[in-house]
Every structure is written in C-alpha cells, then in structure tokens.
Amino acid sequence: MSETWIDGNMLAGGLREIFAIDLTVARTQCSGCGQTVAVAETRVYQHAPGLVARCRSCDAVLLRLVRTPQRAYLDLQGMRWLELQLPDEAG
Ligand SMILES: [Zn+2]
C-alpha cells in the first residue's frame, strides 16, 4: 500500500497564518551552537546580497533574505527550529 499524500496547496492556510505575523518576535535555535534567541536579537548584515542574520554566539548564518522586485528568497538553513506566537483564534 502506498503512502497517502496531498499536494503543497494543503500548506496554504498554515503558511499564510505563519508569515502574516511579525517573525522578529519568534524564537529560534542556531543550528551551529544551539543558542536560543529571538529573531530580533540576531546580528543582521545589510550589505550582503540581501539581508543576512547571524548568530551572536557563534556567528553562523541563521537566515538569508533576498528580495527582487517580484520575488523573495528566504533561506532558514541555519535555524534548527523557529517558534512562533500565534494570534489567539478566539479573539
Ligand atoms: Zn550559533
């Protein structure tokens, strides 16, 4: 029996909810050293191609964001995880 799957459109609602909030208040863990910080506490360099956020502890690249007039490229490879505070569904 093959494994059941659903195409990527299934992610639309969940991703829209996540990316509609301020990610700078999210907490993340560095894949390099394990340090846990708020995204707003990372060290951001603006003069790379796009924005590059580095870990304050080990200087590893946590996030890269490159914008073109019509697209955005987001690389989160340096983050082990990202913890988001979601709006209360009831209110
Ligand atoms: Zn680190």
Side-chain angles (χ1 to χ4, degrees):
M1 181 175 173
S2 64
E3 187 173 338
T4 302
W5 59 273
I6 300 171
D7 76 27
N9 286 307
M10 183 60 187
L11 298 170
L15 290 176
R16 184 180 330 115
E17 179 182 30
I18 289 169
F19 287 103
I21 65 172
D22 179 5
L23 287 179
T24 61
V25 298
R27 294 180 60 75
T28 186
Q29 185 175 52
C30 173
S31 293
C33 71
Q35 176 93 5
T36 299
V37 296
V39 171
E41 297 171 336
T42 61
R43 187 177 295 144
V44 177
Y45 297 86
Q46 299 182 73
H47 301 294
L51 300 173
V52 174
R54 290 183 172 271
C55 175
R56 286 182 182 259
S57 176
C58 74
D59 207 38
V61 174
L62 297 172
L63 174 155
R64 286 185 284 200
L65 175 59
V66 175
R67 292 287 312 269
T68 68
Q70 297 176 333
R71 297 189 189 281
Y73 300 89
L74 180 60
D75 175 358
L76 303 174
Q77 287 185 68
M79 296 181 176
R80 194 168 288 160
W81 47 257
L82 194 58
E83 177 187 84
L84 309 161
Q85 177 72 43
L86 299 177
D88 186 0
E89 288 184 19

